[in-house]
Amino acid sequence: MSLEAKDDLEKLKALSAKPYKEQAIWFLNGYWNEIFKNDEKELENVYAWVKIHEEICPKKKKGCELNEFDAHRFLEMIGETLTVKDMRAFLRSVDIDFNKMVSLTEYLVSKYKVKWRELIHKPQDDAKAMEERKAAQDAVDLAQQRTDEATRAHKAAAERELIANHEKKEAIAKAKAAKEKEIESTKAEAEAKTAADASKKAFEESAAAAEEQKAALEKVLAEEKKYKDKLAKLERESKDTSLGQVKRMKAANMLAQSKSKPTLALQTAKVTLTASEKRAAKAAQKAKTAADKSAAAAQRAAEALQEAKNAREISEAAEKQAIESAKRAEDARKAAEEAVVAAQEAFAQAEAELKKLLAKPVGSGQGSRWWLQREFEDMKKYMPKSKLKKIMKQKKTGGCMSQDCRWWLK
């Protein structure tokens, strides 16, 4: 593989326009034997510098060069702090293409004091090696993608399941409380029945009092008639000339006495009537009060029962929905667990591809191979092995796990 350009400076620009990672791999391939073959520390330095460039560059992994400010930040981060004056002098010394930017290639040329014209012509991977490396790289990229997706999905699913189970627990408790409240509302019905019974009794007592009042009134009217009839008779006898003087005088005296004082029976009847009227009025008021209380109790009971029934129906619907949501969340979490297992297997397959590649005779792409292996080890470091072990323990399917995945857990 070579750089396509008309002259060396254009080739340098083409190399400097590649992403940081590709610039680093070109440099490692070119100076593997001279600098990096037996120096793991320098290899790790280059790897770390690429990660720093990708972190501070606005274009991240797609970036290829830093401006003055970010270049200064880079030097500070690797312990090579310079004054502004020295920094600008440094930039002038490394900015080979004079674009006021510093590519990783320009920094490495300056750092390791190599000739840039020599670098751009250094041999790289041949076509076959590049194809093999691409296959291994694709496997690594796929493993990374599937792992990231599976990890995010599993975390989100586990959180959703936790929330759903909490909501399910609350919904069940609310439904239980609603049922208990509905049962409690039957007490209001019992109270309404008691009030209705009291109202009925009061009504019966009022009716009896009314009948008593009616009888007393009839008695008074009868006694008044007798009294008036007696007065009329005495009035006639006192004026009847056919009778003797003594009889007329006696009738006159009795008339006067009767007018001044009604008969005892009439007086008694009136007293009885007055008492019965009071009793009837009191009984009527008591019956009205009892009827009002009964009606209010019946309304309260009906409202309480309806409210409790509505609350129960709503809570039961919410309980059903919460149970279904919890089941869906559980299914999603199980699916996410399967995805985690699949991602682990993808990693194991990528490892196998990498081992095959590394087992072949070494050509001109030693730097490319080292970088691929280093990236894979970096990714492997963050794989959630403990989570996979926990999942497989829960599922109790260790015997059914693929050979690659069992190897990964060793």
Side-chain angles (χ1 to χ4, degrees):
M1 180 177 65
S2 60
L3 296 166
E4 298 296 331
K6 61 182 180 180
D7 56 42
D8 287 353
L9 184 58
E10 289 301 316
K11 288 182 178 181
L12 175 65
K13 290 180 179 180
L15 176 59
S16 294
K18 292 179 179 291
Y20 297 117
K21 171 182 167 181
E22 293 185 22
Q23 292 183 53
I25 290 174
W26 185 285
F27 197 89
L28 294 183
N29 282 337
Y31 290 99
W32 183 263
N33 292 325
E34 295 92 327
I35 302 174
F36 301 107
K37 185 176 182 179
N38 297 312
D39 198 333
E40 192 68 23
K41 181 180 178 182
E42 289 302 327
L43 286 167
E44 287 296 331
N45 282 340
V46 175
Y47 187 81
W49 295 339
V50 169
K51 297 303 178 184
I52 293 172
H53 276 69
E54 292 175 345
E55 177 186 346
I56 64 176
C57 180
K59 294 182 179 179
K60 301 302 178 183
K61 291 184 178 183
K62 294 182 179 180
C64 59
E65 56 190 1
L66 301 178
N67 57 32
E68 179 181 343
F69 176 75
D70 289 329
H72 198 173
R73 288 176 61 200
F74 165 68
L75 293 176
E76 285 183 340
M77 293 174 76
I78 64 173
E80 296 182 10
T81 306
L82 300 174
T83 64
V84 174
K85 182 179 179 181
D86 291 341
M87 178 64 191
R88 287 176 178 167
F90 170 78
L91 288 174
R92 285 194 297 272
S93 68
V94 299
D95 187 14
I96 302 169
D97 57 5
F98 308 107
N99 67 345
K100 297 183 179 180
M101 303 285 283
V102 180
S103 68
L104 180 61
T105 295
E106 290 173 325
Y107 173 74
L108 293 175
V109 167
S110 173
K111 177 69 177 178
Y112 291 104
K113 297 179 173 53
V114 298
K115 297 177 180 179
W116 65 267
R117 293 184 186 277
E118 180 184 70
L119 171 64
I120 60 177
H121 294 290
K122 280 285 188 178
Q124 300 294 311
D125 284 349
D126 55 32
K128 185 177 180 181
M130 284 181 64
E131 184 177 343
E132 291 175 344
R133 184 167 63 86
K134 185 179 184 304
Q137 184 68 58
D138 289 345
V140 171
D141 291 344
L142 176 62
Q144 177 71 70
Q145 179 184 349
R146 294 183 68 177
T147 300
D148 290 345
E149 291 173 354
T151 302
R152 286 195 300 271
H154 187 270
K155 181 180 178 181
E159 289 174 353
R160 284 195 299 271
E161 184 180 23
L162 184 65
I163 294 170
N165 284 333
H166 178 70
E167 291 175 347
K168 173 184 171 183
K169 184 177 178 182
E170 285 189 339
I172 291 173
K174 286 180 179 179
K176 182 180 178 182
K179 290 175 184 176
E180 291 174 351
K181 188 174 181 180
E182 186 176 19
I183 294 171
E184 187 72 17
S185 68
T186 58
K187 292 183 179 180
E189 285 186 318
E191 292 174 358
K193 186 177 183 304
T194 301
D197 292 342
S199 176
K200 181 181 178 182
K201 183 179 178 182
F203 178 77
E204 290 172 351
E205 291 175 351
S206 177
E211 286 296 324
E212 183 183 343
Q213 179 187 5
K214 180 181 178 183
L217 178 60
E218 290 175 350
K219 179 69 173 174
V220 168
L221 292 175
E223 290 299 327
E224 279 186 342
K225 187 176 182 303
K226 288 180 182 181
Y227 175 61
K228 287 178 182 179
D229 289 347
K230 181 180 179 181
L231 291 178
K233 181 183 178 185
L234 290 172
E235 180 74 29
R236 287 194 304 272
E237 287 179 351
S238 67
K239 295 178 180 181
D240 190 356
T241 56
S242 66
L243 298 175
Q245 180 68 27
V246 176
K247 285 185 177 182
R248 288 199 305 272
M249 290 300 292
K250 183 180 179 181
N253 288 334
M254 288 181 67
L255 178 61
Q257 289 178 11
S258 295
K259 283 183 177 181
S260 64
K261 187 177 181 182
T263 62
L264 180 59
L266 178 57
Q267 293 180 52
T268 302
K270 285 184 176 182
V271 170
T272 302
L273 176 59
T274 301
S276 65
E277 285 175 343
K278 289 181 179 179
R279 286 195 298 274
K282 185 177 180 181
Q285 183 59 46
K286 182 179 179 182
K288 182 179 182 304
T289 303
D292 292 343
K293 286 184 178 179
S294 176
Q299 184 177 355
R300 286 196 301 272
E303 290 175 352
L305 183 61
Q306 187 60 46
E307 182 182 352
K309 182 181 178 182
N310 292 342
R312 175 183 57 77
E313 290 175 351
I314 292 171
S315 63
E316 285 179 347
E319 178 186 17
K320 181 181 178 182
Q321 184 177 357
I323 291 172
E324 291 174 352
S325 296
K327 182 64 172 63
R328 287 195 297 271
E330 181 185 10
D331 292 342
R333 190 254 307 156
K334 288 180 179 178
E337 288 176 353
E338 295 294 340
V340 170
V341 174
Q344 296 287 357
E345 291 182 345
F347 254 86
Q349 291 168 7
E351 177 83 357
E353 291 295 325
L354 184 60
K355 283 185 175 181
K356 289 179 183 178
L357 178 63
L358 296 177
K360 292 183 177 182
V362 178
S364 57
Q366 297 94 330
S368 302
R369 295 188 180 192
W370 179 89
W371 196 276
L372 178 60
Q373 184 178 18
R374 180 63 182 80
E375 269 194 340
F376 188 84
E377 291 300 324
D378 207 20
M379 291 160 55
K380 186 176 174 181
K381 190 187 305 180
Y382 298 101
M383 284 294 291
K385 296 184 198 175
S386 59
K387 184 176 290 186
L388 179 62
K389 288 180 179 179
K390 182 179 179 181
I391 291 170
M392 299 314 297
K393 184 178 180 181
Q394 288 174 346
K395 294 174 71 65
K396 296 181 179 179
T397 56
C400 299
M401 201 189 323
S402 73
Q403 185 175 356
D404 286 338
C405 216
R406 287 198 300 274
W407 168 85
W408 180 268
L409 293 173
K410 291 179 181 179

